[in-house]
């Protein structure tokens, strides 16, 4: 999904949710009825990037026995993530931990990026003098 397409879909989503006020969240949580200790999370306006990142990080947890995702339809920007745990933690807690881990990882990446850019600019300023 390119940037402009995403922004137009996001605008459309917010306009629709304000008009209909039926769905005001991009996240829907559902308990999985066919599996024990499992849940399904639907994320609107997301694609394979978030799905795969979440799935891979969920599988790093020893309590998670299954994690998978699918894009509902190629023309819809919605994914479903299914998670099953061994029962020692709730599936929602596993997802929360994964999201926190991803957030921390991206914060670290952002800090390292800013540091490297500052070093590069400082180096270039020395060369110009």
């Amino acid at each position: 999904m390119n940037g402009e397409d995403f922004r137009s879909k996001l605008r459309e989503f917010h306009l629709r949710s304000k008009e209909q006020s039926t769905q005001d969240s991009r996240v829907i949580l559902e308990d999985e009825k066919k599996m024990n200790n499992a849940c399904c999370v639907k994320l609107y306006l997301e694609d394979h990037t978030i799905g795969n990142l979440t799935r891979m990080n969920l599988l790093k947890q020893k309590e998670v026995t299954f994690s998978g995702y699918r894009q509902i339809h190629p023309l819809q920007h919605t994914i479903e993530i299914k998670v099953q745990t061994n029962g020692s933690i709730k599936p929602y807690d596993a997802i929360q931990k994964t999201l926190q881990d991803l957030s921390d990882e991206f914060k670290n990446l952002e800090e390292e990026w800013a540091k490297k850019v500052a070093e590069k600019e400082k180096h270039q300023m020395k060369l110009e003098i």
Side-chain angles (χ1 to χ4, degrees):
M1 163 175 16
N2 67 34
E4 185 56 39
D5 184 39
F6 176 78
R7 284 187 289 276
S8 66
K9 292 284 184 189
L10 188 58
R11 265 193 304 273
E12 178 184 319
F13 175 81
H14 286 296
L15 288 174
R16 213 179 32 226
S17 65
K18 286 179 184 176
E19 291 170 2
Q20 298 172 354
S21 69
T22 56
Q23 182 180 347
D24 55 355
S25 176
R26 291 177 45 203
V27 179
I28 293 180
L29 306 174
E30 300 172 343
D31 289 327
E32 190 62 38
K33 292 169 181 50
K34 295 181 181 180
M35 296 189 298
N36 292 329
N37 301 315
C39 71
C40 178
V41 179
K42 288 185 183 179
L43 300 175
Y44 292 93
L45 297 175
E46 295 299 344
D47 60 8
H48 293 286
T49 305
I50 293 294
N52 202 33
L53 274 170
T54 306
R55 178 186 67 87
M56 292 300 293
N57 280 280
L58 278 164
L59 290 173
K60 290 180 183 178
Q61 296 181 45
K62 63 181 179 178
E63 300 88 4
V64 174
T65 56
F66 172 79
S67 175
Y69 83 96
R70 71 182 184 116
Q71 187 172 11
I72 295 178
H73 188 275
L75 298 177
Q76 294 178 352
H77 301 291
T78 302
I79 60 168
E80 285 182 347
I81 301 172
K82 293 193 179 186
V83 181
Q84 184 177 27
T85 63
N86 62 11
S88 62
I89 65 171
K90 295 177 184 175
Y92 297 122
D93 293 337
I95 294 171
Q96 181 64 39
K97 182 181 181 322
T98 291
L99 294 176
Q100 186 60 52
D101 290 347
L102 285 171
S103 177
D104 293 344
E105 193 172 325
F106 281 116
K107 284 178 187 173
N108 290 338
L109 181 62
E110 182 181 21
E111 290 169 4
E112 189 174 333
W113 174 264
K115 181 180 171 184
K116 292 295 181 181
V117 168
E119 288 175 7
K120 182 89 169 161
E121 289 174 351
K122 185 177 179 181
H123 181 70
Q124 285 180 344
M125 287 178 64
K126 285 182 182 178
L127 291 177
E128 290 175 0
I129 296 177

